[in-house]
Amino acid sequence: MGALRLKFWILLGVLATLVSGLRAQAQTGLPLVPDAWLAPEGTASLQQSYSPEVAELKASLAPFDWAQASFSYDFYDLPSLIADNDGSWVDRSLDAELRLWPEGDWRPQVSIGLQDLLGTGDRSAEYLAASKSFEGFNLTAGLGWGALAGEQGWSNPIYSYLGERGEGSVLSGWSSLPFTGPQISPFAGISWQPQGSDWSFAVDYSQGQAFRSVYNQAASPISAKIGKQTRFGQVSLAYLQGSTWQI
């Protein structure tokens, strides 16, 4: 069932991407880490991605210009790591992001976000991100907690007061509040879309395990992505943390 179901999810995601791409706005985005940009108010979109052993279908909605949310289903095919008959596993996730203040002439846009509010909490993370655009370039810097922090960050000063980060999610029982994980790590990224071009390029830096930490072992803190905007939406190819390809 694992291989067949995985192909079904891929096909469903491709069809959904083609349909949603008719209304989707081109967004360069970073390969792995979040940025501070939010979709325009009233935007709804679908995104499908595939990498070895996992396929994802994500639906996003921005009801306001200062808030957006995404709900995703991830289908894992991990016979070597899961004691199921066929190694299959479906996980769900809810992400939310709020804009704290918009971009100004010299001021970056700043947003705060929560990731993986539903499901296993394997990728649960919080972040504070600042992004600034400049002549086709988008620059982002931020701080990440949880899966965005990894084990190589700075000690969280409030961790000793509020206790150890719990398993699960906000809705299924975190034993601690968001932003109280033991580590904080910086992340950064830059994307570029030449004027008048459908092509975009992006790289980012993160010490965390935000991408599928259930199986992925990061070989590098650097991720890279190349994308092309088509009439049906954006198609991209990324190489994440020196170990995983994603389309």
Side-chain angles (χ1 to χ4, degrees):
M1 180 184 72
L4 180 60
R5 194 170 181 183
L6 181 58
K7 292 177 181 178
F8 170 77
W9 274 83
I10 295 172
L11 177 60
L12 178 61
V14 169
L15 293 175
T17 302
L18 294 178
V19 173
S20 66
L22 297 175
R23 297 182 301 161
Q25 176 177 343
Q27 295 184 10
T28 303
L30 295 173
L32 182 60
V33 302
D35 56 32
W37 306 118
L38 275 67
E41 181 176 352
T43 298
S45 63
L46 291 173
Q47 177 183 339
Q48 190 269 341
S49 63
Y50 171 78
S51 59
E53 301 177 315
V54 62
E56 179 183 70
L57 182 61
K58 176 184 291 187
S60 299
L61 176 64
F64 310 104
D65 61 359
W66 48 267
Q68 70 179 23
S70 300
F71 182 78
S72 64
Y73 263 98
D74 301 332
F75 181 76
Y76 296 83
D77 196 26
L78 307 173
S80 62
L81 297 181
I82 299 177
D84 254 356
N85 292 334
D86 60 1
S88 63
W89 171 36
V90 177
D91 192 16
R92 64 192 186 279
S93 178
L94 175 66
D95 302 343
E97 185 173 18
L98 299 176
R99 187 189 68 194
L100 298 183
W101 59 77
E103 180 184 29
D105 291 339
W106 299 100
R107 179 188 63 205
Q109 178 159 305
V110 176
S111 297
I112 190 172
L114 300 174
Q115 296 183 343
D116 201 8
L117 298 175
L118 292 170
T120 63
D122 174 69
R123 292 181 291 125
S124 62
E126 305 86 45
Y127 62 87
L128 184 67
S131 297
K132 188 76 177 75
S133 59
F134 177 74
E135 296 185 356
F137 289 89
N138 281 285
L139 309 177
T140 293
L143 295 174
W145 289 254
L148 283 168
E151 299 178 353
Q152 305 298 322
W154 310 316
S155 296
N156 188 346
I158 64 175
Y159 171 70
S160 59
Y161 296 99
L162 296 182
E164 189 172 333
R165 184 188 182 85
E167 297 294 331
S169 66
V170 169
L171 299 183
S172 61
W174 262 350
S175 65
S176 60
L177 298 173
F179 301 96
T180 62
Q183 301 290 324
I184 307 173
S185 287
F187 59 82
I190 180 171
S191 63
W192 174 53
Q193 183 167 6
Q195 185 175 6
S197 174
D198 293 330
W199 291 91
S200 60
F201 310 88
V203 294
D204 64 32
Y205 168 91
S206 174
Q207 291 284 357
Q209 283 283 353
F211 179 74
R212 315 296 180 240
S213 59
V214 68
Y215 76 89
N216 182 59
Q217 295 299 318
S220 167
I222 305 298
S223 300
K225 184 178 78 170
I226 180 172
K228 187 179 191 305
Q229 187 68 25
T230 72
R231 59 176 295 190
F232 300 112
Q234 188 181 80
V235 179
S236 63
L237 175 66
Y239 191 50
L240 306 178
Q241 295 188 321
S243 62
T244 304
W245 290 97
Q246 182 187 68
I247 59 174

